[in-house]
Amino acid sequence: MANAASGMAVHDDCKLKFLELKAKRTYRFIVYKIEEQQKQVIVEKVGEPGQSHDDFAASLPADECRYAIFDFDFVTAENCQKSKIFFVAWSPDTARVRSKMIYASSKDRFKRELDGIQVELQATDPTEMDLDVFKSRAN
């Protein structure tokens, strides 16, 4: 499915993995990468349900942009077990300018392909997506 605006296609696998995470909680997280040569978004990595926020943070490259989905479990003030699906736009300061532009211009279009995102998080360094940020945004 090509996108006229940024010329970016979204690989079917991107949506399938997201649906599996949403419906069956098959994964804890999904990391998506834009293949700039092929002009498409692909699944780079998935995290098993038992993996943690630390595992998720470690799977994002320090100096390259990525999109990611993280299924965040938390307990509410009323002691209810809940989960929220986060979309993370990872755009580290050290990434190439061109790469940041491509990820920024393709983001909204890509997000629309993934129906069920509850919270969006933009992060330019690891402190902007640490566990406390997830906790404060989930409530």
Side-chain angles (χ1 to χ4, degrees):
M1 249 183 323
N3 163 21
S6 69
M8 198 59 65
V10 176
H11 196 283
D12 287 342
D13 201 34
C14 294
K15 281 206 288 204
L16 291 172
K17 292 271 193 294
F18 177 78
L19 290 170
E20 288 172 6
L21 177 146
K22 186 174 84 163
K24 309 193 199 99
R25 314 205 58 196
T26 316
Y27 312 109
R28 170 64 55 201
F29 59 83
I30 308 167
V31 179
Y32 299 101
K33 177 184 185 177
I34 293 179
E35 287 283 7
E36 290 179 26
Q37 265 57 51
Q38 289 87 0
K39 288 200 170 5
Q40 68 166 352
V41 186
I42 59 158
V43 172
E44 182 180 48
K45 183 173 187 173
V46 294
E48 300 305 312
Q51 291 198 287
S52 68
H53 175 274
D54 286 343
D55 297 317
F56 168 64
S59 65
L60 295 172
D63 49 11
E64 287 179 34
C65 301
R66 292 292 185 271
Y67 301 131
I69 292 289
F70 185 76
D71 186 13
F72 180 62
D73 290 327
F74 63 103
V75 178
T76 66
E78 297 78 45
N79 222 23
C80 295
Q81 195 64 53
K82 277 197 161 170
S83 81
K84 285 253 171 92
I85 295 176
F86 277 73
F87 177 87
V88 179
W90 172 242
S91 182
D93 292 327
T94 50
R96 298 193 338 273
V97 173
R98 179 181 152 73
S99 176
K100 288 188 212 184
M101 285 169 59
I102 292 171
Y103 275 82
S105 65
S106 308
K107 184 188 69 166
D108 289 337
R109 163 63 202 214
F110 179 59
K111 267 179 62 188
R112 281 199 291 277
E113 300 285 335
L114 308 178
D115 184 34
I117 292 166
Q118 292 162 301
V119 186
E120 181 183 330
L121 208 59
Q122 306 239 17
T124 58
D125 73 57
T127 61
E128 292 175 5
M129 48 158 234
D130 67 18
L131 202 51
D132 290 336
V133 176
F134 277 84
K135 284 177 184 158
S136 68
R137 293 293 304 278
N139 289 309

